[in-house]
Amino acid sequence: MSIVKLQSSDGETYDVPIPVAKKAETIKNMLEDLPNADEDEVVPLPNVNSQILRKVITWCEQHQNDDPIPDDDGVEVRDKKTDNIDPWDQEFLQVDQGTLFELILAANYLHIKGLLDVACKTVANMIKGKTPDEIRKTFNIKNDFTTEEEEQIRKENDWCEDK
């Protein structure tokens, strides 16, 4: 089986089977644009460190036989629900917040729609049902509103609160 060498931002190189690497649209397009590249050529990925690249490769190996995910234009509402994450993906994404957000950035950079979707659903589940203060605490976000500004925003958005 043909392989492609992927190099992380910190210089680590990984030999990845081409079908696995092609789960990343960015890499797939690179390989299609350079059909005569030899197997010793390295694909640099300056926006992805080795820890995250290893996780991305693991995810792509697990999902290499999955059907491609269509663009959002044809996606039904049920596909956008956050409670339909595969058990393997749930376990895979049980990581610290920093790693989760790095995976989201890597999936976006590499155009791996499936990984981006499940990682974002994981973040959405972390937010679901929480108050703004709980969300701030979960994600270590500083509240930079004054008490008066916050009260004004609550009044303006009162219509969307569940009562």
Side-chain angles (χ1 to χ4, degrees):
M1 178 182 293
S2 296
I3 60 146
V4 60
K5 294 179 185 294
L6 303 180
Q7 185 178 45
S8 67
S9 62
D10 45 353
E12 295 227 15
T13 303
Y14 301 90
D15 293 342
V16 181
I18 288 179
V20 172
K22 283 187 171 183
K23 288 299 288 182
E25 286 292 321
T26 300
I27 295 169
K28 179 180 173 191
N29 292 338
M30 282 182 194
L31 295 173
E32 289 172 356
D33 290 344
L34 303 168
N36 298 326
D38 62 35
E39 285 193 12
D40 292 331
E41 197 156 340
V42 175
V43 176
L45 300 172
N47 295 350
V48 185
N49 68 41
S50 58
Q51 174 201 1
I52 299 302
L53 184 54
R54 278 193 305 273
K55 287 199 70 69
V56 168
I57 292 167
T58 299
W59 189 91
C60 289
E61 288 170 342
Q62 176 68 24
H63 293 278
Q64 67 180 312
N65 297 321
D66 292 0
D67 291 332
I69 295 176
D71 290 333
D72 286 339
D73 297 344
V75 177
E76 294 181 30
V77 173
R78 68 175 172 77
D79 293 334
K80 294 189 180 198
K81 290 186 177 182
T82 62
D83 58 357
N84 61 349
I85 300 174
D86 179 78
W88 187 92
D89 288 330
Q90 287 178 7
E91 184 175 332
F92 176 79
L93 292 169
Q94 287 181 354
V95 295
D96 62 87
Q97 280 184 23
T99 301
L100 181 58
F101 290 122
E102 287 288 324
L103 281 168
I104 289 171
L105 292 172
N108 187 51
Y109 169 67
L110 295 169
H111 293 95
I112 307 173
K113 184 160 177 31
L115 177 55
L116 184 61
D117 284 354
V118 295
C120 288
K121 284 179 180 182
T122 300
V123 172
N125 286 335
M126 293 167 74
I127 294 170
K128 193 185 292 185
K130 292 189 175 175
T131 66
D133 287 334
E134 291 170 328
I135 294 168
R136 283 189 198 101
K137 186 175 181 184
T138 299
F139 296 106
N140 198 24
I141 300 170
K142 180 179 174 267
N143 182 3
D144 55 357
F145 290 115
T146 66
T147 307
E148 295 80 23
E149 289 172 327
E150 199 166 327
E151 188 57 39
Q152 179 63 31
I153 291 168
R154 288 185 198 283
K155 285 180 187 174
E156 290 173 1
N157 295 297
D158 189 46
W159 60 272
C160 67
E161 293 293 323
D162 288 336
K163 295 189 179 196

